[in-house]
Amino acid sequence: MTQSDQALEGRPTATVEQLEEEGDVAADYLEGILDIADIDGDLTLDVRGGRAYVSVENDDPTALSLLSEPDTVQALQELTRIAVQTKTGRFSRLILDVGGSRDARQSQLAKLVERAVSRLDEGASQASLPPMSSYERKLVHDIVAEHGLISESYGEGADRHTVIRRG
């Protein structure tokens, strides 16, 4: 969702200071979860593209293995967003990365797009991808644009998916 889409939905664009506050609230919340689970992790905060980004990292790749599964990261991100919204009173589009899980997912999405492009090269008029989160769809749209193709999202809620076609 672009910032203009966000404004159209009645959600004002967050300032850098508000996004930094989101990151701080998220970090406090995540530190509590890591403490409860007795998991060591270093948190880094960033603001880019109108979103707060929080990364949980550890030099030992196995230390975060339980938390870095895609479904677990998604669930933890949603819980963190709720905690931020409860504390700040504002909707949050915060992005959480655990142990490089976002880079791994972006690589998987790139492979998924490559397979879809192959179907188009073989004569398909369009290629549909499975439903995914808005953030993942945004990544797919960016990857598809790099290929010089067109992508659009269709469906509602958990069924929202991306369709790729030639221009």
Side-chain angles (χ1 to χ4, degrees):
M1 176 184 301
T2 65
Q3 289 183 348
S4 60
D5 289 340
Q6 187 179 23
L8 287 174
E9 290 188 15
R11 295 183 197 137
T13 303
T15 65
V16 171
E17 292 79 18
Q18 289 171 324
L19 294 172
E20 288 172 346
E21 179 189 14
E22 283 186 24
D24 290 339
V25 171
D28 290 345
Y29 177 77
L30 290 165
E31 284 175 350
I33 288 179
L34 293 172
D35 286 345
I36 291 168
D38 197 27
I39 297 173
D40 289 327
D42 297 319
L43 288 109
T44 58
L45 311 175
D46 193 16
V47 171
R48 60 184 186 271
R51 291 181 187 238
Y53 284 76
V54 179
S55 297
V56 181
E57 302 162 354
N58 188 305
D59 291 335
D60 176 6
T62 61
L64 300 173
S65 61
L66 291 175
L67 293 180
S68 63
E69 293 296 320
D71 289 341
T72 305
V73 173
Q74 186 68 24
L76 192 54
Q77 176 177 279
E78 290 306 314
L79 289 171
T80 304
R81 285 178 173 177
I82 291 168
V84 168
Q85 184 172 343
T86 300
K87 182 85 172 186
T88 65
R90 294 184 310 271
F91 175 80
S92 174
R93 296 181 340 141
L94 176 132
I95 299 297
L96 175 64
D97 179 62
V98 179
S101 62
R102 291 289 173 188
D103 289 340
R105 182 61 176 151
Q106 185 161 0
S107 177
Q108 291 171 341
L109 292 172
K111 289 177 186 173
L112 193 62
V113 169
E114 290 293 334
R115 288 195 298 272
V117 169
S118 293
R119 291 195 305 268
L120 294 175
D121 289 344
E122 293 168 0
S125 61
Q126 64 183 30
S128 294
L129 302 181
M132 55 188 70
S133 72
S134 62
Y135 179 74
E136 290 173 327
R137 287 192 314 276
K138 185 218 177 294
L139 293 176
V140 165
H141 292 307
D142 292 346
I143 295 166
V144 168
E146 289 173 8
H147 285 277
L149 301 171
I150 295 170
S151 60
E152 295 179 279
S153 294
Y154 294 95
E156 298 296 325
D159 292 327
R160 194 144 173 88
H161 64 282
T162 305
V163 176
I164 302 169
R165 61 183 171 81
R166 298 206 179 278

